[in-house]
Amino acid sequence: FRYFYFTKAFAVGTFHMNLVAIGYQIYEMTGDAMALALINLSLAVPAVALSPVTGYVADSFDRRRVVVGCYAMLLVTSLGLCALTTLAVTALWPFYLTLFLSGAGRAFYGPTSNALLPNVVPIEVLPNAIAWNTSAGRTAQILGPPAGGFLYLLGPETVYATAAVTYLLGAIATAMLRPQQSSRRGGRFNLENIFSGIRYVIENRIILGALVV
């Protein structure tokens, strides 16, 4: 659980570090507020487009390996941003494409890492583990942006390089996890399985009401 907790905290914080750095960098390059909007759009499109299949992947494959794969993708995109910055690339589309790939990695990381937690700890301590996991994410969301801002003073490539190292350590630590139970449930890849989560929410009014609120 310690491996899981600290990798989750650093992964979330690192994402927000990168988000601050790329925002500053793009605005310094363009001076255009619309360019900032496209940053979030590049991250949001894959998250929305892939949402029907991320849950299926989390339930049908080894969650530990999926999370390691997500860290690898985020590592590659951080190195990509570092390379684009070091090479002084002025075109914006390579940055947006890299962010799109980062958003795809994040789309799978969120649901899979949360679903991995019950496989890491005994059921009797799961509520406490969920509380710690949630607090780690919230704390990282608070501390990540100022950390990114301070590192940006050394240059945006410093932020991206630091993020790459963090994601590498996250992949290694996750690979060292030894889940107490299998996270693979199998199931065929079909529309019924993909949209079963949506159907579950609709049929449970308490959950539907909570999400609407």
Side-chain angles (χ1 to χ4, degrees), residues 2 13 68 80 90 111 126 164:
R2 294 188 186 99
V68 171
T90 56
L126 180 59

Side-chain angles (χ1 to χ4, degrees), residues 96-118:
Y96 292 136
L97 176 60
T98 305
L99 290 173
F100 183 90
L101 296 176
S102 176
R106 287 276 301 175
F108 285 97
Y109 175 80
T112 308
S113 63
N114 288 333
L116 177 61
L117 181 56

Side-chain angles (χ1 to χ4, degrees), residues 8-211:
K8 180 66 174 290
F10 280 103
V12 174
T14 296
F15 172 76
H16 288 279
M17 281 172 45
N18 275 357
L19 195 58
V20 165
I22 192 65
Y24 273 119
Q25 184 179 5
I26 293 297
Y27 193 74
E28 286 183 347
M29 291 169 60
T30 65
D32 184 5
M34 182 58 68
L36 297 180
L38 294 177
I39 292 175
N40 286 315
L41 184 63
S42 300
L43 294 168
V45 167
V48 175
L50 294 172
S51 60
V53 299
T54 53
Y56 172 82
V57 170
D59 282 344
S60 301
F61 298 92
D62 187 324
R63 292 167 185 163
R64 181 172 59 95
R65 293 183 179 180
V66 173
V67 172
V68 171
C70 293
Y71 278 129
M73 181 175 289
L74 294 171
L75 165 63
V76 169
T77 55
S78 293
L79 290 176
L81 290 174
C82 186
L84 291 173
T85 303
T86 303
L87 296 174
V89 175
T90 56
L92 295 182
W93 70 264
F95 290 93
Y96 292 136
L97 176 60
T98 305
L99 290 173
F100 183 90
L101 296 176
S102 176
R106 287 276 301 175
F108 285 97
Y109 175 80
T112 308
S113 63
N114 288 333
L116 177 61
L117 181 56
N119 305 126
V120 175
V121 299
I123 189 65
E124 58 268 18
V125 298
L126 180 59
N128 195 25
I130 292 175
W132 277 93
N133 180 52
T134 302
S135 67
R138 296 294 178 266
T139 302
Q141 288 177 358
I142 296 172
L143 298 180
F150 281 118
L151 287 175
Y152 190 84
L153 297 176
L154 302 176
E157 63 275 8
T158 303
V159 182
Y160 306 138
T162 302
V165 173
T166 302
Y167 287 134
L168 175 61
L169 295 177
I172 295 173
T174 303
M176 295 172 64
L177 291 177
R178 293 296 177 264
Q180 299 188 11
Q181 54 182 314
S182 175
S183 60
R184 292 189 62 177
R185 291 170 46 189
R188 297 177 59 187
F189 186 80
N190 53 43
L191 292 178
E192 181 180 359
N193 285 332
I194 290 177
F195 293 103
S196 60
I198 297 176
R199 184 176 65 252
Y200 177 81
V201 170
I202 294 175
E203 293 175 353
N204 289 267
R205 294 185 178 182
I206 294 178
I207 297 178
L208 177 61
L211 289 176

